Amino acid sequence: MRRTRRSGTAPEIALRRALHRRGLRFLVDVAAPGTNRRRRVDVLLRGARIALFIDGCFWHSCPEHGRVPKRNHDWWQVKLYGVVVRDRDTDAQLSSAGWLVVRVWEHDDPEEAADRIAALVRARRAKAPNPRTLGAGG
């Protein structure tokens, strides 16, 4: 488990490159403001207040590809269940702090995921009031 990377995995880099090609700028592997400092977001789009996670199929128990190892089955089952519980708690903390949580599986196509995220960013920017024009009366 020590060799498991926390950030900079191949699926994460592919998605970050796709987001960057769409003109989106972001922070990588940071804690979202207003949340638990120990819970780090894979990609944080601050302006749109979107917290993006790229979840690995094994560690986050993908319904399509996630499998519990046969050896030490009970231990792994508890371990992987704990990761899912922590993910849901992180989602709740981020949502209550005003962040939109987006989770992408490692097997998802990065280009399609980047298109969905770019659409979310546009939608959230369209809804948000512009602080530069608030209170500016002519």
Side-chain angles (χ1 to χ4, degrees):
M1 285 189 284
R2 191 178 310 150
R3 285 185 262 161
T4 304
R5 297 183 69 131
R6 184 169 80 179
S7 69
T9 63
E12 184 179 329
I13 290 171
L15 182 55
R16 288 189 337 223
R17 286 180 176 161
L19 292 171
H20 200 270
R21 279 193 299 275
R22 285 158 180 77
L24 298 175
R25 300 301 177 257
F26 44 82
L27 299 176
V28 176
D29 190 31
V30 295
T35 62
N36 183 338
R37 307 305 288 169
R38 292 180 54 99
R39 307 277 174 96
R40 300 176 73 80
V41 177
D42 294 334
V43 176
L44 191 72
L45 297 144
R46 288 191 305 180
R49 293 190 63 81
I50 294 176
L52 173 62
F53 294 92
I54 299 91
D55 291 341
C57 291
F58 173 74
W59 287 107
H60 298 271
S61 301
C62 169
E64 214 174 307
H65 302 109
R67 299 285 180 262
V68 178
K70 290 179 183 175
R71 284 197 174 182
N72 232 354
H73 181 81
D74 294 340
W75 184 87
W76 276 109
Q77 197 166 20
V78 170
K79 173 74 173 166
L80 297 175
Y81 178 74
V83 171
V84 172
V85 168
R86 186 185 66 222
D87 287 347
R88 298 300 77 83
D89 182 55
T90 299
D91 294 351
Q93 285 183 28
L94 287 163
S95 293
S96 67
W99 292 90
L100 173 64
V101 178
V102 177
R103 289 193 175 267
V104 176
W105 290 109
E106 70 175 322
H107 64 263
D108 289 343
D109 178 47
E111 297 298 326
E112 290 176 12
D115 286 340
R116 288 194 319 262
I117 294 159
L120 285 171
V121 168
R122 285 191 301 274
R124 288 182 64 93
R125 285 182 181 160
K127 286 183 186 178
N130 187 342
R132 294 181 195 152
T133 60
L134 291 179

